[in-house]
Structure formats: structure tokens, C-alpha cells
Amino acid sequence: MPTILRPAALALVALMAGCAHWPATPKLEKAGAPGYRFAEVAPKGQSDDLLVFLAFSGGGMRAAALAYGTLEELRRTEVPVHGVPRRLLDEVDVISAVSGGTLAATYYGLRGEKTFGEFEAKVLSRDLEMELALRIFRPDSWFRLPSGTFGKSDLFAELYDQTVFDRATYADLQRAGGPFVVVQATDVTTGAHFPYTQDQFDLICADLSKVKLGRAVATSTALPPLLTPITLENRAGSCGYVEPPWMAAADATAAGAETQGRSELQARARRGATDAAARPYLHLFDGGLAENLGLNTLLGGLDILKVSPEAPALARLRRAQKVVVIVVNALRVPEVDWDRSPAPPGTSDLQDQMWSIPVDRITLDAVEKAREQLERWKAAGPAAGPGHREVYLAQVTFDDLADPAERDRFRKVKTSLALPKEQVDQLREVSGRLLREAPGYKRLLEDLRAGR
């Protein structure tokens, strides 16, 4: 390049890098307006007294394949509901998902029955990591990535948007008429979970209906340090947001208590997002860092119902007589030999453990909290007769594999967004088998088929 052109070229590069920016967050005119909310998303023909909740964990393509295998098994399973044969898949009300699990959850929510002819080619058979790497090295990315306001997760959002979800938005997801899909993220500053729902977006006066599904999934899969946070603009205070009554009820319940209850902590986390002057931007990353199963949605709903039994947003949970929770947990615990040596693990191993120890412990605790909360919900209803409540908790987890060699093989499946077809197919098969063998699931099928 001639010397005289170099300053101009460098100036152009600097200008283009400075202009690169993530998409603007759509502004919400009026909080509380119709939108993607649990109360406003209900598939047609579902039973009012049966509520089915799926929780899909993180874990890259391993989690996506395991979650998809569960959807396939529910599709194969037919049960009588009020005397009418129904696929259990058609009774799913909510799918709450984290990281890799969001790929299966969101795709099914958008595409419904077409998922079973498309998802393998659209997601499971692809090397999304390599596709991201190729985008990073494209010439246009050379200018955007150094900008400081456009990161690798923004590139992932574009990749998902263009090649997986075909530029669909949350408005498209709502029009699809599928179950309520909750994509979970984590607030970088507070550590609180941040669900992609309009109720949450009301806090920052943002219109979720115009947000691309690919961007939401990229947020939940943005695992540091390899990927970067996704940023939202915070316009709290500009759309007339009013706190729901359950938050005041949570304050009253916590008043005078020695420790804060879960509903009070939930209210505090929501209020933490409404100070736009102090926090004009919210930076979000992988949902698994707050809780890696997606059970926070269920736990939060049960907490709200406890302090505010008449909460309008939870009318469907209030009407239910049977609550079914299926937890698809792709947690892997590879065997290590650190304790056989006097020398401690190396730096890279310790870095991995810094993430995995808290994530794994929170995950295990979340299942037990869900079990306790569900039993409390059941006990709050009549012991027998009309209105009697029943709960069914089933887990799809490698820990329940009886064969030690098979269990070890699945635990060694790596966490990445690219897996060999053989492993994907094995994960799909074992997911269905583990669900069929889960005691809570077997009891559910027995009760439904016996008309109980």
C-alpha cells in the first residue's frame, strides 16, 4: 500500500470499528401491555387441571440433544386426558431453558410439529463453533469486534438469527401458539437470573415482541471467557411500570423476619434492574451461572403464589390439580485423579472448577428446592376429593443410568456446540429411555391411564 494511503486506511478502520454496535433494544411504550407473558401464552386444547413444566439444562450440544430426545419421547407418549387421547407433548405448558437447552426449547416453541423434521439438520448436525469461528475471521468482523460495543456473542446472535430461527422475533414465537418458552440469562452485575419474558422486560421498558429469538438464545449461551455478554438498553421509568401486588406482599411477609424469604429476594432482584440512572445498560451472559436447570421460573412462581395466592399472572398454576415437572439435566461429571497426587490441579483445571463447583451445587440444590416447594403446594390443597392436588417430578440425568460403563461414557461427552452424529443419536435415545424409567414419570402415566 502506498505510504500516502496508509493514514487514510487506518482512519477508515478506526471509524468502522467505532461505529460497530449491537442492535438497539426496542422501546416499550406502555408497561403491562399485551405481550409474551405466561398468562397470555397457552396452546389450544390443553387441560386446565394438568400443568406440565419442562426444565432444560445447559451443556452445549449435549444439552440440546438430550432435551430434544425428551421432546421426542413426549411426542410418542399418548395418554387419556378427560377421556380424550392426547400426546403428552401437546399438554406441555412451559419450557424453561438454559444455554444449550434453549436451542431445543425455543425451536420447538416456534416451529411446533415441524421441529421433528427440521431440528437435526438446523442444529444437531452442525458445527456451530466452527461457523462462529469463520464469522469471526470474516473481513467485516475485523472492523466490528474491536469496537468494544460489539462482541463474539453478537456474532453468535446473528448466526442463530440467520441460520437457525430465520429472523423470527418473540412476536412470531407468541403467534406460533406453542408452550411458554422462558430463555434464562444471568445479570453480570447482580448475578440474578434474567428471564426473557415481557414481565421482566417491563422493568427496563423494553418491547420483547421485537427482540430476535437468536439474540435471546445467544445471551443464554454466552459463557465467559470465550464469549462476551449481550447488552440491553435500560429505559426504566419511561413506560409507566407499576410493581405487581405480589412484591408489596413479599415485603410485608419479610418484615420482621430474621432472614429474607425467596419472594423478597426475587422482588429485590427485580427492583435492581429499574434504576436506569445508575444502570443505563444491562449486560447479560450465560443463564447457567445463576442456575443451570431453568427451575428458577417454577420456584419463582410457587414463591409468588405463597405470598400472593390471587396473583392474576399465575391463574393457570392456581387452577391446576396435577403439576408435572420434568427436569432434563445434561450435567456431566468427568472422572479426575487429582486426589491421587500430592500436587494440586493445574491452572486450567482450577479455572474450570471455579465455574463448575458453584454451577453444579446450585443445580443440585434447585432440584431439592423444587421438590420441597411442590410438596408444599400439594399440601396447601385438600387431602382428598375435589380439588386434591398431585405432583410428579421426573429427572432425565446420567446419574440414573444403571450400567457404570454407560454412565461413564455419557459423562465424558464434551460440552461444545458440535458433536458427532453418533453421540447425538445416543443422547436422543438415552433421554427417552431415562424418562420412561423415571419413577415420577411412570407414576404419572399410571394415574392418567387409570383416570385418577
Side-chain angles (χ1 to χ4, degrees), residues 104-127:
T106 310
Y107 201 94
Y108 174 68
L110 178 69
R111 299 292 288 164
E113 190 65 20
K114 294 178 181 177
T115 301
F116 303 99
E118 299 173 351
F119 190 69
E120 184 172 5
K122 279 276 194 174
V123 176
L124 296 178
S125 65
R126 292 171 59 183
D127 186 340

Side-chain angles (χ1 to χ4, degrees), residues 111-434:
R111 299 292 288 164
E113 190 65 20
K114 294 178 181 177
T115 301
F116 303 99
E118 299 173 351
F119 190 69
E120 184 172 5
K122 279 276 194 174
V123 176
L124 296 178
S125 65
R126 292 171 59 183
D127 186 340
L128 292 171
E129 291 184 359
M130 178 59 70
E131 291 182 40
L132 175 64
L134 292 174
R135 288 190 174 230
I136 289 173
F137 290 106
R138 282 190 343 194
D140 60 329
S141 298
W142 302 346
F143 302 121
R144 296 193 292 171
L145 288 174
S147 70
T149 53
F150 187 94
K152 285 181 285 187
S153 290
D154 295 295
L155 278 181
F156 236 148
E158 292 179 350
L159 176 63
Y160 289 143
D161 179 45
Q162 295 164 12
T163 70
V164 177
F165 298 106
D166 298 324
R167 295 178 169 81
T169 65
Y170 270 85
D172 297 313
L173 184 62
Q174 186 162 1
R175 281 191 292 268
F180 187 59
V181 177
V182 185
V183 173
Q184 302 283 356
T186 302
D187 186 321
V188 172
T189 299
T190 66
H193 81 288
F194 191 101
Y196 269 68
T197 67
Q198 188 56 61
D199 286 329
Q200 184 75 18
F201 273 58
D202 277 0
L203 304 176
I204 61 173
C205 294
D207 186 352
L208 182 61
S209 71
K210 298 175 182 177
V211 173
K212 299 287 187 68
L213 297 182
R215 192 158 183 80
V217 171
T219 307
S220 194
T221 58
L223 182 65
L226 297 178
L227 293 171
T228 52
I230 290 284
T231 300
L232 299 177
E233 294 167 286
N234 188 355
R235 302 186 183 90
S238 67
C239 62
Y241 169 75
V242 177
E243 288 188 355
W246 72 261
M247 293 177 66
D251 293 340
T253 302
E258 291 184 8
T259 59
Q260 291 178 319
R262 286 179 53 87
S263 55
E264 168 64 10
L265 292 173
Q266 190 178 167
R268 283 188 59 189
R270 287 173 63 89
R271 290 179 181 126
T274 59
D275 187 353
R279 305 183 66 194
Y281 303 98
L282 298 184
H283 304 290
L284 310 175
F285 59 4
D286 194 300
L289 299 176
E291 188 264 299
N292 200 39
L293 287 179
L295 281 171
N296 266 327
T297 295
L298 175 68
L299 294 171
L302 291 170
D303 287 335
I304 292 171
L305 209 57
K306 182 180 176 183
V307 299
S308 183
E310 300 305 316
L314 297 174
R316 285 160 64 190
L317 181 55
R318 202 163 44 246
R319 290 194 302 265
Q321 292 182 309
K322 289 183 173 68
V323 171
V324 181
V325 179
I326 298 174
V327 181
V328 183
N329 185 0
L331 176 69
R332 64 189 287 271
V333 186
E335 185 178 349
V336 297
D337 59 358
W338 301 331
D339 294 340
R340 298 192 183 107
S341 168
T347 301
S348 62
D349 289 329
L350 288 173
Q351 287 176 337
D352 288 342
Q353 284 296 87
M354 285 174 63
W355 291 113
S356 63
I357 288 174
V359 167
D360 294 349
R361 292 308 311 170
I362 292 171
T363 295
L364 295 173
D365 289 345
V367 175
E368 292 312 307
K369 287 174 183 174
R371 197 186 308 275
E372 293 168 4
Q373 289 279 58
L374 289 167
E375 288 300 325
R376 187 179 297 120
W377 174 84
K378 175 183 174 180
H388 171 68
R389 296 173 174 178
E390 193 54 79
V391 298
Y392 307 84
L393 176 62
Q395 291 193 71
V396 173
T397 172
F398 301 138
D399 284 348
D400 288 340
L401 289 169
D403 182 354
E406 185 180 36
R407 186 168 61 244
D408 183 60
R409 184 173 78 248
F410 279 107
R411 282 177 166 179
K412 289 180 178 177
V413 177
K414 64 180 180 178
T415 301
S416 86
L417 286 171
L419 289 178
K421 177 175 171 45
E422 181 183 7
Q423 284 189 335
V424 167
D425 290 344
Q426 290 171 349
L427 286 161
R428 290 164 61 182
E429 185 279 328
V430 81
S431 179
R433 174 157 45 100
L434 285 168

Side-chain angles (χ1 to χ4, degrees), residues 10-30:
L10 291 173
L12 177 61
V13 170
L15 178 63
M16 293 180 72
C19 292
H21 207 283
W22 34 258
T25 306
K27 186 178 187 304
L28 182 67
E29 298 300 327
K30 180 63 178 175

